[in-house]
């Protein structure tokens, strides 16, 4: 019975580890930027919102270029929220 319990525990750990990292991994910033630009093409924000979205997009691109996908995705998500997405 102990061998079965040990085998079960090892199998559970082997399955859970990749799932946990996949859930926690940020979206590639290039994908998030592509989604933002598609949303921008469809949205008709007022001038103030358009300027704010542009600022957030610029900040996101800077973070994306620095390989900081998490912060880039945060900026892109804020811009998407302004656009109502």
């Amino acid at each position: 019975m102990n061998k079965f319990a040990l085998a079960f525990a090892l199998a559970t750990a082997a399955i859970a580890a990749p799932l946990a990292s996949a859930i926690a991994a940020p979206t590639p910033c290039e994908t998030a930027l592509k989604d933002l630009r598609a949303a921008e093409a469809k949205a008709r924000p007022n001038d103030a919102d358009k300027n704010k979205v542009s600022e957030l997009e610029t900040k996101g691109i800077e973070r994306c270029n620095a390989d900081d996908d998490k912060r880039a995705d945060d900026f892109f998500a804020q811009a998407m929220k302004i656009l109502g997405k």
Side-chain angles (χ1 to χ4, degrees), residues 36-47:
L36 174 60
R37 288 184 173 161
E40 281 181 289
K42 294 178 184 176
R44 300 288 176 240
N46 61 37
D47 288 339

Side-chain angles (χ1 to χ4, degrees), residues 25-66:
T27 303
C29 57
E30 295 83 6
T31 303
L33 178 59
K34 181 177 139 187
D35 294 343
L36 174 60
R37 288 184 173 161
E40 281 181 289
K42 294 178 184 176
R44 300 288 176 240
N46 61 37
D47 288 339
D49 286 345
K50 186 182 274 188
N51 289 336
K52 185 64 179 171
V53 168
S54 178
E55 288 175 22
L56 290 167
E57 183 177 350
T58 300
K59 289 178 183 180
I61 291 170
E62 288 173 3
R63 295 300 353 144
C64 188
N65 290 337

